Amino acid sequence: MPPTLTSPPPAVAAPSAGPTESVVLPRLIARAAALGETGARSLLRPAGLRPDVLDGPATARIPSMHLYRLWTEVVGRTGRQDAGLLTAAQYRHGQFDLFDYLFSTAPTLGEGLDAARAHLHLLSDASLLTTEESEDEVTLTYGALLPDSELRGVVAEFVLGAFSQVIRHSTGGAVGPARISFAHGAPRRTADHTALFGGGRIDFGAGTDSITLHRRALDTPLPGADPALAAIIRRTASAVPPPRPAGPLPELRRAILTQFADGRPSLAAAARQLAVSPRTLQRRLAEADTTWRAELDAVRQEFSVGLRRTGTWSAQHAATRLGYAEARSLRRAQSRWDARDEPGPADGDGAGAPEGTGGPAAEGARQS
């Protein structure tokens, strides 16, 4: 049954700052990994999630960090590095709530994909889906704003597996991936991958996580196409716009987050992502009365809070995730953040370390 559409879904406040996920995701993950509701609830508690995730409103959100923590619990308890793939295999149409019906009521597969990209935030605002078209193919590449090297393969197999399921259901089984590419290395056995993805070629160690379709598949009509219902669902989905990160230049902070996946952020790389020159980006920062160093520092501080909430904090791991060359740099930054957050005179203790010090401000300047 389609979701209730009598009124727009409420925008449920996130329990903490930072990117969030729809509760439909931990709901599917916990139930797929556990035997019965009791087992599912026992997975949620160590991940910092409340039991009502399983039966509360589908419009509720959870911090993205808690979803990573749930994946850690699932892999730890099951001992299965293919837990993401096995979870995707249990997906059924409708479990992604509004997102599923945005896709399946579109006239064609291409329009369904357009709707999916435009409204991916209904499922996750910590995820990115980009498209690259060639003469014969179209490739959809998945990326995460909160990358985790230990869980990247698990999450990627879940995302691409589930997305392939959505495509297959929405086209009545008429379309499957021509090729699946994973950044992680090949597992010992791939029979389950073949079973889930069908006849498409599966590449491991490809550097990206993506699904490639034949371009002609975009014109495939969808059996569930319903113009009237699609219009209602689009209006409903439009009432939940993509969240905007805090700060004077929110698009910059999002660009910084995406760079954590590849190493140490730089102003030049951020400018490329924003399709402006480094000089233009610096001018916009000055107009907003901020600097590259201050924005990078703010994102690192906020992201570090999320890492601590996962319960798996270690200085070296966190330093790597935050783009520092070594744990010592993170410890210096943490001391400065703690001092800055203290009430009283310490509040004015500088928005960043002075140039020439070894703090992340100077490090950010060197990277630019």
Side-chain angles (χ1 to χ4, degrees):
M1 292 290 292
T4 302
L5 300 173
T6 52
S7 61
V12 179
S16 67
T20 63
E21 317 287 322
S22 167
V23 292
V24 302
L25 296 176
R27 192 174 292 176
L28 171 59
I29 294 165
R31 284 177 170 152
L35 296 175
E37 293 293 289
T38 300
R41 291 175 192 276
S42 73
L43 280 168
L44 295 175
R45 284 192 292 270
L49 296 171
R50 292 168 28 173
D52 59 6
V53 161
L54 294 178
D55 46 29
T59 49
R61 312 286 295 189
I62 65 164
S64 298
M65 284 295 184
H66 287 268
L67 195 67
Y68 278 93
R69 192 169 172 182
L70 177 60
W71 278 121
T72 300
E73 285 295 318
V74 169
V75 172
R77 291 200 192 186
T78 63
R80 300 291 300 255
Q81 289 297 321
D82 59 351
L85 187 80
L86 299 178
T87 300
Q90 295 195 42
Y91 159 84
R92 298 295 180 269
H93 180 67
Q95 289 178 317
F96 290 162
D97 197 59
L98 200 61
F99 181 88
D100 277 343
Y101 295 95
L102 269 168
F103 202 124
S104 64
T105 59
T108 65
L109 175 59
E111 291 172 87
L113 292 173
D114 289 341
R117 287 195 302 274
H119 297 281
L120 186 61
H121 61 277
L122 292 175
L123 292 180
S124 169
D125 55 60
S127 297
L128 302 171
L129 194 63
T130 58
T131 302
E132 182 178 349
E133 297 186 10
S134 66
E135 185 175 342
D136 300 320
E137 295 180 332
V138 57
T139 297
L140 296 94
T141 300
Y142 163 73
L145 294 183
L146 300 179
D148 187 307
S149 57
E150 296 177 5
L151 291 172
R152 175 170 178 163
V154 174
V155 175
E157 290 189 353
F158 168 70
V159 172
L160 298 193
F163 208 72
S164 295
Q165 294 272 70
V166 170
I167 291 172
R168 188 170 285 111
H169 172 87
S170 297
T171 60
V175 175
R179 184 170 66 256
I180 297 287
S181 298
F182 289 112
H184 59 278
R188 292 182 178 179
R189 59 188 303 270
T190 59
D192 289 333
H193 295 76
T194 301
L196 180 62
F197 294 115
R201 192 180 86 202
I202 304 174
D203 296 328
F204 293 94
T208 60
D209 301 304
S210 61
I211 294 175
T212 298
L213 304 171
H214 294 299
R215 189 180 179 89
R216 62 180 180 274
L218 300 182
D219 296 326
T220 303
L222 302 188
D226 186 327
L229 180 57
I232 295 171
I233 292 176
R234 284 196 300 271
R235 287 199 301 271
T236 306
S238 296
V240 188
R244 291 177 61 83
L249 291 175
E251 68 277 9
L252 173 60
R253 294 196 173 188
R254 186 175 179 88
I256 291 172
L257 276 172
T258 64
Q259 291 186 56
F260 286 154
D262 302 317
R264 300 169 69 184
S266 73
L267 184 146
R272 284 195 299 273
Q273 285 183 258
L274 299 175
V276 298
S277 69
R279 187 180 296 276
T280 297
L281 178 55
Q282 287 176 321
R283 185 179 70 251
R284 291 181 182 177
L285 287 165
E287 291 170 350
D289 195 26
T290 186
T291 65
W292 162 255
R293 291 178 295 170
E295 293 303 296
L296 175 59
D297 195 51
V299 174
R300 279 172 161 164
Q301 181 177 10
E302 182 176 330
F303 196 6
S304 72
V305 172
L307 288 174
R308 285 183 178 277
R309 288 195 179 112
T310 67
T312 57
W313 173 275
S314 76
Q316 187 56 57
H317 177 65
T320 300
R321 295 283 302 282
L322 292 168
Y324 288 108
E326 56 185 5
R328 183 172 55 182
S329 298
L330 172 59
R331 285 193 291 269
R332 286 198 297 263
Q334 190 65 55
S335 296
R336 181 164 46 77
W337 295 334
D338 291 344
R340 186 169 61 197
D341 291 341
E342 288 177 2
D347 281 348
D349 201 15
E355 286 196 55
T357 70
E363 194 171 334
R366 288 194 297 271
Q367 294 165 26
S368 67

